[in-house]
């Protein structure tokens, strides 16, 4: 069901929510968190809601969308409440904010947060350079940005590396998980030799490739080279870890199937498809504690940049 | 893995990384069976789709059919298409299909096992499965001795493998039909695979809600203080099915509900509900506590008053005319196989002294449901007058295992109005109806655990033997009594004697 509340206030929305719940019976699915989506009032809004609805099947949530409309219009909130079939396993509240309210979205969001439940803020498009200093980021335990959706993804990622605070995370990092899992598993097998250097290949503006290089640098403390992918290749394309007896190589030229080769083992093919937004968002919502590994990967990204500046590979 | 090797990329705080099994393969015996088609093969695909299988994972089918690899591949493909939980992706399937092999033969055919050994060795060569293989015996237990002996003779079993290489065997219920046969079966299996390499599947233990019992009890301060005889009146564990036994006579006739369900599933649920807190969630610690509580569990006598058994008759059930057990094809006209069984158990330790555990299971009951209900004692004193609390029942905590997984808490609440009147209400935690579609199937979890060598969720042979020890006296009593199971109409909640069994102590079954 979709209920429109044009030109309304937070307390009217709250009253309507209670009213809907009373009339619809006690449909209280145990909602485990509030997900605040911050976006512009544009086409990306519905895509973001759809991904969040998908994720809410795994993590039932109240989803509050702060959609910032024209800042020059008269201040107003147009709200829309979606429950039942239109809202995954939770409820969706879309707030279209105009005028001064578009700049101070947190004042409209605050009264609608679920009591006690953790808050996650997600910027599906362009997000703040420093998420934890943003008012909508400050109220959340977990702040999810998506560097890949920025105009300059790598620069955005580096800015976030500068401003990292516990609870920050980025979808570009979750897109790496399958790669990291394969690399970690490969090092669990013989020969048990240290890695001497690493090469990471990917699109020049792929933040995931950057993070992968940073992660390897910080954990292995060996030289990591960053190579550009060929024209037309997407995202991360390959990783190569050099060892005395021969390299471990994970290579994905087409964005779907990876080949894993290592000495003493036949070359193996792995399904390594690029993951959908709802998939990575679901992974993000799985844990709400600080992601120390991400922090270290960001530290690696900063180191990489420093080394590049200093002219060392 | 050498002891001094530290994987530089592994960080124990890294909770995102899925547990991917090391290089390995799975060999399924009885691959054309129902279980294999509906559950095992789809679960293997779902694991592949979630990226949890190692690269090069191989699946070998062993059956009597005269098939080529492609025919078997087609069977897997069809069953995946029909039964898999996750969406079908052509490229995931293509990777999996590369590792599919078929070996044709019967269990006593030496040539077939030579062929199997060759196939497995080839897979190690071509696919890099590293000599690690799990053998899933989805076959009647009568064939276990032959198959395990054949595996040993052809060098497929555990003995003589280089260090670091594993062979595991997976077996399904029934684990025997009484204590004696269970011991014999364990001996047969353990003569070839040591106990660490034997995985006994009880698919209930792969369910999220069963594992949630541990979280509910041991992660919260709220429940554990009242989880004892001081506050708990009794516990009811129910597994009901609305379907009958058409087409299952071969397996079920002579076995009956108690052996089929109580011995394994319900006693495992009892163990999770009643056990003490384990020192840690190490598999050995968990097992130690389960064994301890099962050791303390006894069936309460006299069995004529504390147990019930029934057999469904024909009639109307939910708008469908169904046949009684005696008219089902394959069952003798005078079969005494019970389709409903209820027993009363006592856990003889300080925590549970005097608290009866009622276990019941049956076919063609009201609806399909599995749940554990912990029913609490009434408040010792009610400062309300009698009429105010007439409709107040006992508080209860219900763990709903399937379907509609979740937890319900029942307690009294004031009915709105000017008079004081207290009535039962329920507070409900649902894993969410929608939640289940993305929570993994029990078999996925269990197969992955086999490949990872993680035995927590598998009952050990001691648990199996103890369970029979608890149930054997009841089964013997029923056998000796010379009476027939009591008939009950389909769609009901069992025979009258089951109700009488609780009524004797002033209790009644919950209607689930």
């Amino acid at each position: 069901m979709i209920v429109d509340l044009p030109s309304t206030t937070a307390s009217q929305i709250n009253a309507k929510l209670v009213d809907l719940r009373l009339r619809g019976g006690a449909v209280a699915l145990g909602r485990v968190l509030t997900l605040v989506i911050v976006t512009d009032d544009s086409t990306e809004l519905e895509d973001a809601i759809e991904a969040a609805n998908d994720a809410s099947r795994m993590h039932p949530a109240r989803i509050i969308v702060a959609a910032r409309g024209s800042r020059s219009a008269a201040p107003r909130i147009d709200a829309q409440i979606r429950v039942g079939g239109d809202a995954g396993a939770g409820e969706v509240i879309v707030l279209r904010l105009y005028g001064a309210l578009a700049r101070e979205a947190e004042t409209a969001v605050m009264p609608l947060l679920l009591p006690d439940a953790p808050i996650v803020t997600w910027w599906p498009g362009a997000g703040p350079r420093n998420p934890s200093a943003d008012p909508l980021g400050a109220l959340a335990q977990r702040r999810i940005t998506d560097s890949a959706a920025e105009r300059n993804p790598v620069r955005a990622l580096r800015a976030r590396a500068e401003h990292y605070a516990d609870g920050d995370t980025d979808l570009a990092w979750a897109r790496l998980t399958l790669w990291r899992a394969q690399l970690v598993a490969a090092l669990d097998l013989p020969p048990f030799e240290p890695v001497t250097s690493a090469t990471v290949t990917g699109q020049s503006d792929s933040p995931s490739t950057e993070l992968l290089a940073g992660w390897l640098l910080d954990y292995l403390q060996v030289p990591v080279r960053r190579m550009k992918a060929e024209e037309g290749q997407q995202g991360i394309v390959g990783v190569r870890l050099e060892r005395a007896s021969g390299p471990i190589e994970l290579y994905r030229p087409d964005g779907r199937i990876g080949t894993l080769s290592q000495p003493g083992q036949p070359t193996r093919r792995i399904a390594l498809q690029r993951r959908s937004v709802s998939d990575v968002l679901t992974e993000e919502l799985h844990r709400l504690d600080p992601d120390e590994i991400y922090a270290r990967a960001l530290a690696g990204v900063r180191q990489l940049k420093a080394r590049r500046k200093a002219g060392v590979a | 893995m050498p002891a001094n090797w530290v994987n530089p990329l592994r960080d124990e705080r890294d909770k995102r990384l899925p547990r991917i099994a090391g290089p390995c393969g799975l060999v399924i015996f009885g691959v054309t069976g129902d279980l294999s088609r509906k559950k095992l093969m789809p679960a293997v695909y779902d694991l592949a789709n979630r990226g949890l299988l190692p690269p090069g994972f191989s699946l070998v089918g062993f059956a009597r059919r005269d098939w080529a690899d492609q025919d078997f591949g087609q069977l897997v493909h069809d069953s995946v298409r029909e039964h898999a939980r996750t969406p079908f992706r052509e490229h995931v399937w293509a990777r999996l299909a590369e590792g599919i092999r078929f070996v044709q033969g019967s269990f006593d055919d030496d040539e077939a096992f030579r062929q199997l050994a060759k196939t497995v060795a080839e897979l190690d060569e071509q696919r890099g499965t590293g000599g690690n293989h799990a053998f899933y015996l989805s076959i009647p237990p009568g064939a276990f001795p032959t198959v395990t002996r054949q595996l040993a003779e052809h060098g497929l079993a555990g003995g003589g493998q280089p260090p670091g290489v594993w062979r595991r065997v997976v077996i399904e219920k029934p684990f025997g039909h009484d204590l004696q046969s269970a011991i014999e079966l364990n001996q047969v299996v353990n003569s070839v695979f040591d106990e660490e390499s034997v995985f006994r599947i009880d698919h209930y233990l792969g369910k999220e809600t069963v594992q949630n019992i541990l979280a509910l009890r041991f992660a919260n301060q709220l429940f554990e203080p009242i989880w004892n005889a001081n506050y708990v009146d009794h516990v009811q564990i129910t597994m009901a099915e609305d379907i009958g036994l058409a087409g299952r006579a071969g397996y079920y006739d002579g076995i009956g509900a108690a052996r089929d369900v109580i011995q394994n599933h319900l006693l495992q649920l009892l163990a999770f509900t009643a056990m003490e807190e384990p020192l840690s969630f190490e598999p050995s610690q968990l097992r130690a506590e389960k064994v301890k509580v099962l050791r303390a569990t006894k069936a309460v006598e006299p069995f004529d008053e504390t147990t019930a058994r029934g057999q469904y008759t024909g009639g109307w059930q939910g708008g469908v005319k169904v046949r009684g057990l005696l008219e089902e094809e394959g069952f003798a006209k005078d079969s005494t196989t019970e389709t409903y069984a209820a027993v009363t158990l006592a856990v003889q330790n300080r925590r549970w002294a005097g608290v009866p555990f009622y276990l019941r299971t049956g076919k063609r009951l009201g609806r399909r449901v599995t749940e554990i209900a912990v029913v609490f004692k009434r408040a010792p004193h009610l400062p309300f007058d009698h009429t105010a609390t007439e409709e107040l029942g006992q508080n209860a905590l219900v763990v709903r295992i399937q379907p509609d997984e979740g937890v319900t808490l029942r307690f009294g609440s004031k009915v709105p109005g000017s008079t004081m009147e207290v009535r039962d209400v329920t507070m409900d935690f649902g894993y969410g109806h929608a939640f289940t579609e993305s929570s993994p199937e029990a078999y996925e979890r269990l197969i992955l655990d086999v490949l990872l060598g993680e035995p927590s969720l598998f009952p050990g042979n001691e648990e199996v033997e103890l369970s029979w020890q608890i149930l054997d006296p009841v089964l013997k009593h029923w056998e000796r009594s010379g009476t027939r199971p009591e008939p009950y109409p389909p769609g009901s909640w069992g025979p009258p004697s089951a109700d009488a069994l609780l009524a004797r102590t002033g209790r009644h079954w919950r209607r689930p």
Side-chain angles (χ1 to χ4, degrees), chain B residues 341-378:
Chain B
V343 298
T344 310
L345 303 180
V347 179
Q348 296 172 333
N349 58 21
R350 188 169 187 134
R351 186 193 279 264
W352 295 114
V355 179
F357 283 72
Y358 299 109
L359 275 52
R360 62 171 165 168
T361 180
K363 305 277 178 193
R364 286 248 183 269
L365 296 185
R367 66 190 194 93
R368 171 172 169 264
V369 65
T370 302
E371 63 169 37
I372 302 167
V374 178
V375 182
F376 292 92
K377 292 180 174 168
R378 280 176 193 281

Side-chain angles (χ1 to χ4, degrees), chain A:
Chain A
M1 181 169 40
I2 297 183
V3 180
D4 278 303
L5 298 169
S7 196
T8 186
T9 64
S11 47
Q12 282 171 1
I13 299 169
N14 259 327
K16 191 75 196 171
L17 281 170
V18 172
D19 179 47
L20 281 175
R21 186 178 149 153
L22 286 180
R23 280 198 293 162
V27 283
L29 275 177
R31 283 167 310 212
V32 295
L33 52 90
T34 306
L35 176 65
V36 180
I37 305 178
V38 191
T39 138
D40 286 324
D41 190 4
S42 67
T43 45
E44 74 177 23
L45 182 124
E46 286 304 324
D47 293 342
I49 293 178
E50 202 182 310
N53 277 343
D54 269 354
S56 78
R57 296 208 159 85
M58 193 75 178
H59 309 283
R62 169 175 287 183
I63 299 166
I64 304 174
V65 186
R68 293 166 301 195
S70 163
R71 280 155 180 76
S72 54
R76 191 178 85 225
I77 303 178
D78 285 348
Q80 189 180 61
I81 300 174
R82 305 181 190 178
V83 289
D86 296 297
E91 61 218 347
V92 180
I93 305 163
V94 184
L95 305 173
R96 289 194 168 80
L97 306 162
Y98 301 98
L101 280 165
R103 270 191 299 275
E104 295 186 35
E106 71 279 7
T107 59
V109 169
M110 202 87 80
L112 298 172
L113 300 171
L114 286 175
D116 238 14
I119 302 157
V120 178
T121 301
W122 173 37
W123 291 268
R129 287 166 55 85
N130 181 358
S132 59
D134 183 276
L136 279 167
L139 56 87
Q141 273 90 331
R142 191 107 171 150
R143 294 166 290 275
I144 306 172
T145 49
D146 187 357
S147 297
E150 302 272 348
R151 193 170 301 161
N152 187 334
V154 174
R155 190 189 298 163
L157 183 73
R158 288 190 184 137
R160 279 159 198 160
E162 295 302 325
H163 295 113
Y164 173 82
D166 279 351
D168 285 4
T169 175
D170 199 288
L171 293 186
W173 174 239
R175 289 191 186 98
L176 262 185
T177 303
L178 292 177
W179 285 78
R180 296 195 303 120
Q182 293 296 345
L183 293 173
V184 172
L187 286 187
D188 273 340
L189 300 177
F192 302 102
E193 293 169 347
V195 178
T196 53
S197 71
T199 311
V200 179
T201 312
Q203 243 178 327
S204 57
D205 64 348
S206 151
S208 296
T209 312
E210 208 69 19
L211 274 166
L212 181 57
W215 176 64
L216 289 171
L217 177 67
D218 198 77
Y219 273 87
L220 298 174
Q221 292 298 333
V222 297
V224 176
R225 284 178 53 193
R226 168 80 164 82
M227 306 280 282
K228 282 204 179 87
E230 286 165 36
E231 198 65 38
Q233 291 181 321
Q234 289 185 310
I236 314 170
V237 175
V239 190
R240 189 179 159 102
L241 304 180
E242 303 288 347
R243 295 191 297 184
S245 62
I248 298 175
E249 191 163 18
L250 184 56
Y251 181 57
R252 182 187 68 174
D254 64 351
R256 276 172 43 229
I257 314 274
T259 41
L260 177 68
S261 45
Q262 55 198 114
Q265 304 266 356
T267 297
R268 288 174 294 206
R269 299 208 275 173
I270 327 166
L272 206 60
Q273 68 273 14
R274 307 194 69 190
R275 300 168 70 194
S276 65
V277 173
S278 66
D279 204 16
V280 281
L281 183 65
T282 306
E283 179 182 312
E284 284 301 341
L285 298 182
H286 217 92
R287 299 186 60 83
L288 300 177
D289 55 337
D291 188 340
E292 296 95 343
I293 313 348
Y294 174 61
R296 287 190 61 177
L298 283 180
V301 169
R302 286 201 304 270
Q303 273 183 60
L304 271 177
K305 191 184 165 203
R307 286 190 184 198
R308 227 170 270 159
K309 254 191 186 156
V312 262

Side-chain angles (χ1 to χ4, degrees), chain B residues 396-449:
Chain B
L397 179 82
V398 183
V399 180
R400 303 190 309 269
I401 290 168
Q402 74 170 17
D404 186 21
E405 313 177 351
V407 182
T408 302
L409 192 60
R410 190 181 65 187
F411 53 90
S413 173
K414 181 181 173 300
V415 180
S418 56
T419 55
M420 177 52 95
E421 195 189 333
V422 184
R423 197 186 275 179
D424 284 336
V425 295
T426 57
M427 197 157 77
D428 196 51
F429 158 71
Y431 260 97
H433 55 273
F435 205 46
T436 47
E437 74 184 10
S438 39
S439 83
E441 255 289 319
Y443 275 99
E444 270 172 77
R445 169 73 197 262
L446 294 174
I447 290 175
L448 184 62
D449 278 1

